[in-house]
Amino acid sequence: CLASTNKPVLTLFTKKPCPLCDEAKEVLEPYKKRFVLKEVDITLPENSAWYDKYKYDIPVFHLNGKFLMKHRVDIQKFEDQLRKLELQS
């Protein structure tokens, strides 16, 4: 249950297939105990607003609902933001 953890939520906006998304998830693998990964398939009808916004930019990552990065994982930026959130909780 997500509610029971204080872990930051990393939202990945993706679609199938998405080799860059798969690559990004591999890069994030060592950190996965520190966050909850939520994948949003932008091709689903209920996600059409995200599709319109990100169809040319996936993968796109939001951390706790705020835009973080797109196209590639910026590990330095990700670590910095993750650390900030961990210090707050």
Side-chain angles (χ1 to χ4, degrees):
C1 173
L2 291 179
S4 64
T5 79
N6 283 333
K7 288 184 191 173
V9 176
L10 185 68
T11 306
L12 164 59
F13 294 91
T14 184
K15 65 183 178 186
K16 298 282 182 259
C18 178
L20 284 176
C21 302
D22 298 337
E23 197 178 295
K25 286 191 278 191
E26 281 176 34
V27 172
L28 293 167
E29 187 71 18
Y31 301 90
K32 69 176 186 196
K33 289 182 171 58
R34 294 170 59 192
F35 67 89
V36 175
L37 181 66
K38 182 179 139 201
E39 292 189 42
V40 175
D41 183 339
I42 64 169
T43 63
L44 296 176
E46 64 267 25
N47 296 327
S48 62
W50 293 118
Y51 179 82
D52 292 342
K53 191 168 183 178
Y54 291 143
K55 62 186 164 203
Y56 303 118
D57 288 321
I58 62 166
V60 175
F61 293 92
H62 286 194
L63 190 59
N64 279 5
K66 289 197 185 101
F67 174 82
L68 181 64
M69 54 196 170
K70 66 183 179 184
H71 303 154
R72 298 210 165 295
V73 173
D74 179 337
I75 270 302
Q76 196 58 56
K77 187 176 194 180
F78 177 66
E79 275 188 30
D80 292 347
Q81 295 301 315
L82 195 57
R83 200 171 306 115
K84 268 186 205 157
L85 290 170
E86 288 169 343
L87 291 171
Q88 286 169 14
S89 62

